[in-house]
Amino acid sequence: MVVGQVAEGRDLVVLGGGLGGYEAALRAAALGRTVMLVDRAGVKGLGGECLHRGCIPSKVLIERAHHDGFDEYLADRGPVVEDLRAAVERQVRRAGIEVVEGQARFLPGERIAIDRPGELPSFVQYRHAILATGSRPVEVPALPFGGAVLDAAGLLALDELPRSLAVVGGGAIGVELGTALARLGVAVTIVELTDRLLPGLDRDLGPFVGAALGALGVRVELGAAAVGHADGVLRLERDGAALEVAADRVLVAVGRRPNTDDVGIEATGAVLEAGGLVRTGDTGLATPRIAAVGDVRVGPALAHKAAAEGRMVAEVLSAVVGHRDVGAVPLIVFSDPEVASVGATAADAAASDGELVVGTVPLRASGRARTMGRSDGLVRLVAERTSGVILGAQVAAPHASELISTATVLVEMGAVLEDVDGMVLPHPTLGELFGMAAAAAVQASAA
Ligand SMILES: Cc1cc2nc3c(=O)[nH]c(=O)nc-3n(C[C@H](O)[C@H](O)[C@H](O)COP(=O)(O)OP(=O)(O)OC[C@H]3O[C@@H](n4cnc5c(N)ncnc54)[C@H](O)[C@@H]3O)c2cc1C
């Protein structure tokens, strides 16, 4: 890498040090590639949005809100994030990956410019590149970020709790953070434009979460649009009627847009879809030399999907595999109860003309759930009627975020209902519910 117009050659350059980027870099280095990773924040940025402003701090908040308090969150969020970041840095250094700080953008002729404030850009020429620049929150025009209006990162960075919070957006991030703040004593209202909470998930899961939010004292306004905020009041409109919600702070969590508008994509021959996602085939390749992974690529904006794609494209670009299916991607909301889904859903079964069957067991059927004082939830398996091959699962239960890994294994390994029905599963555990759901689906297949 040199300053000036002359570019030094690099075998593989990764743009972005989030999970997608650093997993790609590690796998490529393990395959013998010489890797440069560029992140806006250099080694301090390793881990990306998930580690610094997303998955990890939000789960510290959720855990401390459940078991401790806000002071414990303030004490723990920094050290947890830094310990994990430092562990990634050690891995990256051990792998011999060169980490460069700067904003990277593509130039014609397989070159990348790296910009740093107050310095001349430097240039590298790449054989292969991996775009892993992630995403940023979408703004609502009537509620520009700033002042009392926060994105998730702003909320997670608060040092003091507000008295009241309005959450605009009833998806995973809004529900998770709204629940945590309500547990900490904040008066929370969740405002959602559609007619249900968690609109991205199976229709049967949201009501469990809605009921638990109600019990926590959270107000939920469905079918309502936020139209402005001033003097501690959020104004809403529903069916032409005006509503008001007390809100010292407003969290806007209505979606994310890919960071592909400032990376010089037009210089590469890669094509952007509507919404700014990079068009790739199954291989993750956007051009023969450039791959795209994570939040810049089609699919759910989730950390584990970014990581899996990172490993896949490293292998594709290193000619280890022509293509590898990243497989079923579990969706999880760390709500109360936790909800999770993988693969085919009840809606898919309903639309399948009888080709798919469903086995559903209510959580109250589980002795373990009852010992935990919980009966609000379900476990469901979705399978092919004739073969019994399990294609999907949904869980609303305590520890659904852990249970869904079992279901993901069943789906990925092509497990059959009869096998799961016949397994000896430990009692009393929540995992037993998979055996009961399999038995229910076997019965449904025979009907
Ligand atoms: C509040 C919140 C909670 C979440 N919780 C979960 C969860 O529980 N589970 C889950 O799976 N997902 C969760 N997510 C989503 C998850 O954070 C993202 O899907 C994941 O971070 C995507 O990884 P990525 O590698 O594509 O990009 P990112 O993690 O966004 O990393 C991109 C990196 O690239 C850098 N960068 C951007 N542009 C450039 C450039 N031009 N040059 C150099 N560097 C650049 C950025 O600074 C960043 O470090 C959550 C997100 C939020 C906001």
Side-chain angles (χ1 to χ4, degrees), residues 271-306:
V271 176
L272 295 186
E273 309 277 1
L277 293 168
V278 181
R279 182 181 297 169
T280 64
D282 289 349
T283 54
L285 296 191
T287 76
R289 288 178 185 271
I290 300 175
V293 302
D295 285 8
V296 298
R297 186 173 182 240
V298 71
L302 291 169
H304 42 283
K305 177 237 180 211

Side-chain angles (χ1 to χ4, degrees), residues 15-21 38-41 45 47-50 53-55 58-59 102-105 132-135 152 156 173 176-177 256 259 262-263 293-296 301-304 306 334:
L15 292 76
L19 257 161
V38 187
D39 191 277
R40 282 177 191 147
E49 197 72 6
C50 174
R53 292 166 293 276
C55 329
S58 65
K59 271 75 226 178
Q103 175 94 11
R105 63 190 154 88
T133 46
S135 63
L156 290 164
I173 292 175
E176 288 186 5
L177 297 180
R256 304 192 49 96
N259 291 327
D262 59 353
V263 294
V293 302
D295 285 8
V296 298
L302 291 169
H304 42 283
F334 292 80

Side-chain angles (χ1 to χ4, degrees), residues 385-413:
R385 182 183 295 273
T386 46
S387 65
V389 171
I390 295 169
L391 300 179
Q394 286 77 51
V395 181
H399 310 301
S401 57
E402 302 294 335
L403 290 167
I404 204 67
S405 290
T406 301
T408 305
V409 172
L410 297 180
V411 171
E412 280 298 308
M413 307 303 282

Side-chain angles (χ1 to χ4, degrees), residues 87-110:
V88 178
E89 183 181 347
R90 283 194 296 276
Q91 264 186 300
V92 162
R93 288 203 189 286
R94 265 199 306 271
I97 294 163
E98 176 188 7
V99 180
V100 173
E101 180 178 337
Q103 175 94 11
R105 63 190 154 88
F106 289 108
L107 298 173
E110 284 80 45

Side-chain angles (χ1 to χ4, degrees), residues 109-417:
E110 284 80 45
R111 289 185 315 143
I112 290 173
I114 302 170
D115 300 305
R116 271 181 295 269
E119 291 182 28
L120 286 174
S122 47
F123 299 90
V124 285
Q125 184 120 28
Y126 58 87
R127 181 170 153 228
H128 291 134
I130 298 175
L131 184 68
T133 46
S135 63
R136 61 184 184 275
V138 169
E139 214 167 41
V140 170
L143 296 168
F145 291 126
V149 181
L150 307 171
D151 61 8
L155 187 100
L156 290 164
L158 286 178
D159 290 326
E160 262 178 45
L161 284 174
R163 272 170 309 161
S164 54
L165 173 78
V167 179
V168 178
I173 292 175
V175 166
E176 288 186 5
L177 297 180
T179 307
L181 262 69
R183 276 192 194 289
L184 292 168
V186 177
V188 175
T189 304
I190 299 180
V191 181
E192 165 58 39
L193 195 59
T194 70
D195 64 350
R196 60 191 177 112
L197 286 174
L198 303 175
L201 277 183
D202 191 298
R203 193 168 265 283
D204 294 342
L205 302 180
F208 296 115
V209 176
L213 284 171
L216 255 184
V218 174
R219 175 175 162 192
V220 177
E221 295 291 350
L222 299 176
V227 293
H229 179 260
D231 303 327
V233 174
L234 180 72
R235 284 178 294 106
L236 312 181
E237 267 178 25
R238 181 165 51 213
D239 301 329
L243 295 170
E244 290 192 343
V245 167
D248 288 346
R249 302 275 188 169
V250 180
L251 165 65
V252 175
V254 295
R256 304 192 49 96
R257 58 177 296 192
N259 291 327
T260 51
D261 43 357
D262 59 353
V263 294
I265 206 86
E266 58 290 342
T268 64
V271 176
L272 295 186
E273 309 277 1
L277 293 168
V278 181
R279 182 181 297 169
T280 64
D282 289 349
T283 54
L285 296 191
T287 76
R289 288 178 185 271
I290 300 175
V293 302
D295 285 8
V296 298
R297 186 173 182 240
V298 71
L302 291 169
H304 42 283
K305 177 237 180 211
E309 289 177 348
R311 294 187 291 268
M312 174 188 82
V313 301
E315 292 180 9
V316 169
L317 288 173
S318 307
V320 174
V321 291
H323 155 247
R324 183 158 58 76
D325 191 350
V326 294
V329 178
L331 310 176
I332 300 167
V333 186
F334 292 80
S335 45
D336 179 20
E338 291 183 351
V339 296
S341 178
V342 65
T345 65
D348 295 324
S352 74
D353 248 350
E355 284 182 19
L356 303 185
V357 286
V358 165
T360 304
V361 187
L363 189 65
R364 63 176 179 277
S366 158
R368 180 68 182 123
R370 302 307 288 269
T371 65
M372 299 163 92
R374 300 300 297 244
S375 55
D376 53 334
L378 60 77
V379 168
R380 169 187 292 147
L381 290 176
V382 181
E384 261 175 14
R385 182 183 295 273
T386 46
S387 65
V389 171
I390 295 169
L391 300 179
Q394 286 77 51
V395 181
H399 310 301
S401 57
E402 302 294 335
L403 290 167
I404 204 67
S405 290
T406 301
T408 305
V409 172
L410 297 180
V411 171
E412 280 298 308
M413 307 303 282
V416 172
L417 289 174

